[in-house]
Amino acid sequence: MEQDTNFGFLKHEWDFLTESAIEAETNVKSAPVTSAFYSRLCLEKTINWLFENEQYLNEPYQTSLSARMAEQTFKEIIPPSIYREIQTIRKEGNNAAHGKKIPVQASMASLRFLFRFLS
């Protein structure tokens, strides 16, 4: 399965992200709710890693994904266009986790945005 993925580049240095990224990709059309959930999970794992490993990021009072994404030191390192895209991933993933219907177009957008962010 991993050979047919756009996320194979994660395998060596970012192995802990590979499974959730591939789950998002595998389910993008057949199970868009699942895909949106896994895109958000992968985003959260990535941002958590950044906050744990990069001293220049100030840890916010809350450690939720939303709070970390709103932290000014994080926003300063993310281009505005990418920031808007990862906000979409977070929102669609939250909708998926709360049982809302996710159109295939939304899961595909989240997956595309995830790829750009991880690249």
Side-chain angles (χ1 to χ4, degrees):
M1 173 173 32
E2 292 176 26
Q3 293 175 344
D4 297 334
T5 180
N6 291 299
F7 294 97
F9 68 93
L10 296 173
K11 189 68 179 150
H12 298 290
E13 288 188 59
W14 308 100
D15 191 45
F16 70 99
L17 300 174
T18 306
E19 183 180 344
S20 52
I22 291 174
E23 283 295 324
E25 184 179 37
T26 301
N27 290 288
V28 71
K29 290 183 181 176
S30 61
V33 170
T34 301
S35 177
F37 170 82
Y38 276 105
S39 288
R40 186 200 180 283
L41 179 62
C42 189
L43 173 69
E44 187 166 19
K45 287 178 178 182
T46 305
I47 291 175
N48 287 346
W49 184 92
L50 286 169
F51 273 89
E52 291 165 10
N53 291 281
E54 300 298 340
Q55 278 89 23
Y56 58 81
L57 292 174
N58 296 327
E59 186 70 65
Y61 179 69
Q62 294 183 326
T63 58
S64 67
L65 178 59
S66 180
R68 284 180 164 170
M69 287 176 63
E71 166 53 43
Q72 188 59 38
T73 55
F74 177 77
K75 291 173 79 173
E76 288 170 359
I77 65 167
I78 304 296
S81 61
I82 298 293
Y83 188 79
R84 283 189 299 277
E85 291 178 356
I86 63 173
Q87 282 285 25
T88 298
I89 296 168
R90 184 185 63 76
K91 289 175 185 173
E92 291 296 340
N94 287 351
N95 288 339
H98 294 287
K100 296 187 179 169
K101 185 170 172 27
I102 306 293
V104 171
Q105 299 92 326
S107 67
M108 290 181 75
S110 289
L111 186 67
R112 201 168 40 252
F113 298 159
L114 180 65
F115 180 82
R116 271 202 282 264
F117 179 64
L118 295 175
S119 295

